[in-house]
Amino acid sequence: MAARSSHPIRHPMLSLFVALATVLPAARAQLSPTFYASSCPAALVTIKTAVRAAVLLDRRTGASLLRLHFHDCFVQGCDASVLLDDTGNFTGEKGAGPNAGSLRGFGVIDTIKALLEALCPRTVSCADILAVAARDSVVALGGPSWTVQLGRMDSTTASLSTANTDLPSPASSLSTLLATFARKGLSSTDMVALSGAHTMGQAQCQNYRGRIYNDTDIDAGFAASLRAGCPAAGGGGANAPLDASTPNAFDNAYYGNLVAQRGLLHSDQELFNGGSTDSLVRSYAASQAQFGSDFAAAMVKMGGIGVLTGSSGQVRRNCRRVN
């Protein structure tokens, strides 16, 4: 051993292999925008094309795909657990209070996964599909783009209980929203920017009924127009756009609505109700560029919550079930 160590110059390849053995495990644990550059070079364009087609058919799909990514990342991290159907071993997240009857877009993800499995079998994770589809949905509706970090693995389980506790409620107060996002490593700026996702999509009557009948910080005409389609008691009622100004475009109109006391959900209006986030809401209402920049940065940050990499997870062949 002494003779071998005294002549390291004779074994340059050995030194290289040792160095690589040290570096590669760490490299695999990191997400990278070029993760599929060699293994599936057509992955990103395939996802983009499918998302654009789906959004052209139904503009609401853009909001639905963005929401799927958000609801995934806040429960166990960005691991595609939200896509799993119930099994004999666990109850999935689709039936949780914040998800039941309102999550959409599963069929679009199924289509994308089938295309990618045909192109590059067992290569592109469902968690990465969700992250890229969210970005492409925002872009398709006129919003900002960002570089998606890739290399997430898929979970082998889901958590109904965590979905019921960790996803913010439409009745949340500002302090609750700030605490909920802080537990995921997201700042108040991240929270206000990510809330801007409500510039598109719709909400069910049951989620804004309390606001339009009980809240005082609401424009009277706006509340009256919503009451016609959402009765004070009982079930049913119509869906309403989260941003009545430009419901099918990704822009900063959501924040202008808040300044005018026309936020649809109680949790929306809490961002502009005499609290610590009022000034940021005013800034975003005045500058679409600032909102777009902060939203993109917050999406990258959110996309890194609790990710599984390497051997910590799997690449599901079907996003709805474990291999």
Side-chain angles (χ1 to χ4, degrees), residues 133-315:
R135 187 270 311 275
D136 291 345
S137 294
V138 170
V139 173
L141 292 170
S145 185
W146 58 91
T147 300
V148 179
Q149 299 295 318
L150 302 165
R152 300 167 188 80
M153 293 290 108
D154 299 326
S155 67
T156 56
T157 188
S159 176
L160 176 71
S161 60
T162 306
N164 277 321
T165 58
D166 286 20
L167 288 166
S169 160
S172 295
S173 65
L174 177 61
S175 60
T176 297
L177 289 170
L178 291 170
T180 298
F181 279 72
R183 284 194 293 270
K184 304 300 178 183
L186 298 169
S187 68
S188 58
T189 298
D190 296 327
M191 187 273 286
V192 177
L194 289 171
S195 296
H198 285 181
T199 187
M200 54 187 190
Q202 299 183 11
Q204 298 172 320
C205 165
Q206 63 184 5
N207 290 324
Y208 61 86
R209 177 182 282 123
R211 170 151 170 75
I212 63 175
Y213 286 100
N214 302 322
D215 287 3
T216 56
D217 58 343
I218 187 169
D219 176 81
F222 178 63
S225 69
L226 290 165
R227 288 175 189 147
C230 184
N239 289 351
L242 288 157
D243 168 13
S245 303
T246 53
N248 292 319
F250 193 97
D251 56 25
N252 64 335
Y254 165 81
Y255 298 101
N257 294 338
L258 299 185
V259 173
Q261 293 191 319
R262 294 169 65 89
L264 181 65
L265 305 179
H266 178 85
S267 57
D268 288 327
Q269 197 60 55
E270 279 291 284
L271 304 185
F272 190 84
N273 193 26
S276 61
T277 55
D278 280 17
S279 60
L280 191 55
V281 169
R282 286 192 184 278
S283 295
Y284 290 160
S287 173
Q288 183 156 320
Q290 183 188 352
F291 162 53
S293 176
D294 285 0
F295 180 83
M299 285 297 293
V300 173
K301 196 170 173 182
M302 186 186 80
I305 296 174
V307 297
L308 303 174
T309 57
S311 59
S312 298
Q314 62 177 215
V315 175

Side-chain angles (χ1 to χ4, degrees), residues 58-138:
D58 178 4
R59 302 283 283 182
R60 276 187 70 195
T61 299
S64 299
L65 294 176
L66 177 58
R67 188 165 180 253
L68 273 180
H69 182 44
F70 174 82
H71 281 228
D72 179 37
C73 291
F74 263 58
V75 183
Q76 297 189 169
C78 309
D79 61 358
S81 61
V82 72
L83 301 177
L84 288 170
D85 290 338
D86 296 350
T87 72
N89 297 321
F90 61 81
T91 302
E93 298 161 19
K94 294 177 180 178
N99 296 337
S102 66
L103 280 187
R104 303 169 71 250
F106 296 108
V108 178
I109 300 300
D110 290 340
T111 297
I112 294 171
K113 183 58 177 171
L115 290 169
L116 292 173
E117 283 298 302
L119 279 174
C120 320
R122 305 184 188 185
T123 301
V124 183
S125 70
C126 300
D128 276 348
I129 292 172
L130 284 176
V132 177
R135 187 270 311 275
D136 291 345
S137 294
V138 170

Side-chain angles (χ1 to χ4, degrees), residues 1-66:
M1 293 298 294
R4 196 175 287 176
S5 62
S6 65
H7 299 287
I9 194 69
R10 293 181 182 177
H11 306 284
M13 292 305 295
L14 177 62
S15 299
L16 177 61
F17 290 147
V18 170
L20 286 174
T22 303
V23 171
L24 285 180
R28 287 196 194 99
Q30 302 300 315
L31 302 183
S32 164
T34 59
F35 188 82
Y36 298 112
S38 299
S39 61
C40 193
L44 295 185
V45 71
T46 300
I47 298 171
K48 179 180 179 180
T49 302
V51 168
R52 281 189 169 275
V55 172
L56 279 173
L57 288 172
D58 178 4
R59 302 283 283 182
R60 276 187 70 195
T61 299
S64 299
L65 294 176
L66 177 58

